[in-house]
Amino acid sequence: MCSGRVDLEFVLRAFSNGIDGVFIGGCRLNECNYSTHGNYHALNMVLLCRKIMEHIGLNPERLKIEFMTSGEGILFAEVMSEFGNKVNKLGPLGKAEGIDQKELKSKLAEITKLVPYIKLVKNEKLASRLENPEEYDKLFTKDEIDRLFSEVISYYIDPEKCQACMTCAKRCPVEAIVGGKNLIHVIDQEKCIKCGTCFEVCPPKFRAVTKISGAPVPPPIPEEKRTIVRKSKEKAEKDNE
Ligand code: SF4
Ligand code: SF4
């Protein structure tokens, strides 16, 4: 219905499935029938995705967005034919860029996993409205995108501080936190979408969740060491001995 619905993840999925070029057609800018102006979102997403493609070594020309009305059939045919020819000239995805197919797939998978994080971090720019095409190339810079991936934030629960209050596990939107009553909680890094909710909701008196930027996350505490022995219980057990 709206080009604004074309998610960054959809485009990455298309490339991951070996598609050589992706074209997105949207209504003309400033002619949106709604107040949402989703075509600006689509444009910003494309500008971001093109920089991401450069970052992983793909030719950004493989992704194109164009704005036109439903009455501009001739223009549509011309644009599609031009784009089709360009993609044909570029050659097969990855091969033409000298990237190994397996490596490309794994790079795309890694980035796809980070899509919610990327959208969160770049939220402001993704919602901006660029009035002048000359501004397009400046919205996202190469350095910025390189930094985005080299400084990816991860969240980690400090086993020394976690008091198993379960707040984070209840609030995590993707059930990435493993825990339970009297069990030190652990983040499943494979499932975590880096939304930061656990960091926000962990009670200040515990401050058990830490943010790690651009560094490896410590390994999770082994399952057999996750039970928290409360001091009162420990004392009662000692008194009984
Ligand atoms: S950062 Fe978000 S997704 Fe990741 S564990 Fe915390 S709440 Fe869950
Ligand atoms: S909110 Fe904090 S203290 Fe509570 S279970 Fe999660 S990490 Fe542990």
Side-chain angles (χ1 to χ4, degrees), residues 154-169 177 183-187 189 196-212 217-218 221 228 230:
S154 298
Y155 293 89
Y156 170 71
I157 296 175
D158 185 339
E160 299 290 322
K161 293 183 181 171
C162 178
Q163 289 304 308
C165 71
M166 302 202 274
T167 312
C168 59
I177 301 177
L183 286 177
I184 290 169
H185 285 44
V186 169
I187 295 176
Q189 299 295 333
T197 304
C198 50
F199 182 77
E200 300 293 332
V201 300
C202 182
K205 60 182 170 185
F206 305 138
R207 283 199 203 288
V209 184
T210 52
K211 234 187 222 184
I212 299 173
V217 179
I221 180 168
I228 297 177
R230 307 279 172 200

Side-chain angles (χ1 to χ4, degrees), residues 155 168 171-174 176-177 187 191-198:
Y155 293 89
C168 59
R171 298 282 298 275
C172 175
V174 291
I177 301 177
I187 295 176
K191 282 191 186 170
C192 174
I193 57 166
K194 306 175 191 300
C195 69
T197 304
C198 50

